[in-house]
């Protein structure tokens, strides 16, 4: 699951690709949920996203207020978004709360380094 807020692109496109779908945008706001069992969902929040099912080659423009569903069977459907199905952005609900994730790496000589990621 990813939320992308893409500023207007001049010539190139921002692309999200899974084994099932490709979402191409030049500037918009959307949620993209990928599931290898059921397929992909794209929730349009602002602007337009071109959603293509890789298996069938079918493409549709997904705009604000609509959800595109790209199935592992090659299907591509669009419907009005159900607000309760749209993921919740943690930045909108946990303002001020920061969590930390630490990942430790060790090289072949036994030297360790720690990657620290702070997130909301």
């Amino acid at each position: 699951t990813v939320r992308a807020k893409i500023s207007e692109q001049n010539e190139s496109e921002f692309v999200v690709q899974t084994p099932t779908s490709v979402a191409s945008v030049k500037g918009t706001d959307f949620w993209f949920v990928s599931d290898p069992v059921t397929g992909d969902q794209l929730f349009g929040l602002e602007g337009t996203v071109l959603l293509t099912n890789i298996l069938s080659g079918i493409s549709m423009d997904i705009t604000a207020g609509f959800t595109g569903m790209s199935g592992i069977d090659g299907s591509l459907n669009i419907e009005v978004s159900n607000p309760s199905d749209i993921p919740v952005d943690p930045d909108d609900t946990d303002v001020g709360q920061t969590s930390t994730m630490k990942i430790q790496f060790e090289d072949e000589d036994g030297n360790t380094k720690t990657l620290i990621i702070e997130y909301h």
Side-chain angles (χ1 to χ4, degrees):
T1 301
V2 64
R3 180 169 184 188
K5 294 180 181 181
I6 310 302
S7 60
E8 189 68 32
Q9 306 292 304
N10 290 330
E11 294 182 23
S12 62
E13 293 179 325
F14 178 84
V15 176
V16 176
Q17 184 170 344
T18 71
T20 305
S21 311
V22 176
S24 305
V25 300
K26 285 193 173 243
T28 192
D29 186 5
F30 64 94
W31 279 100
F32 191 88
V33 179
S34 181
D35 184 319
V37 175
T38 60
D40 301 329
Q41 290 182 297
L42 189 145
F43 298 93
L45 302 178
E46 185 180 292
T48 302
V49 180
L50 179 63
L51 181 62
T52 303
N53 184 290
I54 292 174
L55 303 170
S56 64
I58 300 170
S59 295
M60 290 184 179
D61 283 333
I62 310 301
T63 57
F66 289 89
T67 300
M69 293 148 299
S70 181
I72 60 171
D73 61 355
S75 62
L76 187 61
N77 301 301
I78 186 172
E79 63 184 37
V80 174
S81 294
N82 180 345
S84 65
D85 291 339
I86 300 172
V88 176
D89 190 335
D91 285 342
D92 294 341
T93 58
D94 293 334
V95 176
Q97 296 179 358
T98 302
S99 298
T100 303
M101 179 188 321
K102 295 181 181 181
I103 304 170
Q104 193 168 47
F105 297 93
E106 184 175 328
D107 66 17
E108 63 275 358
D109 296 326
N111 300 312
T112 60
K113 292 199 177 199
T114 303
L115 172 65
I116 301 172
I117 301 171
E118 292 184 358
Y119 60 96
H120 299 277

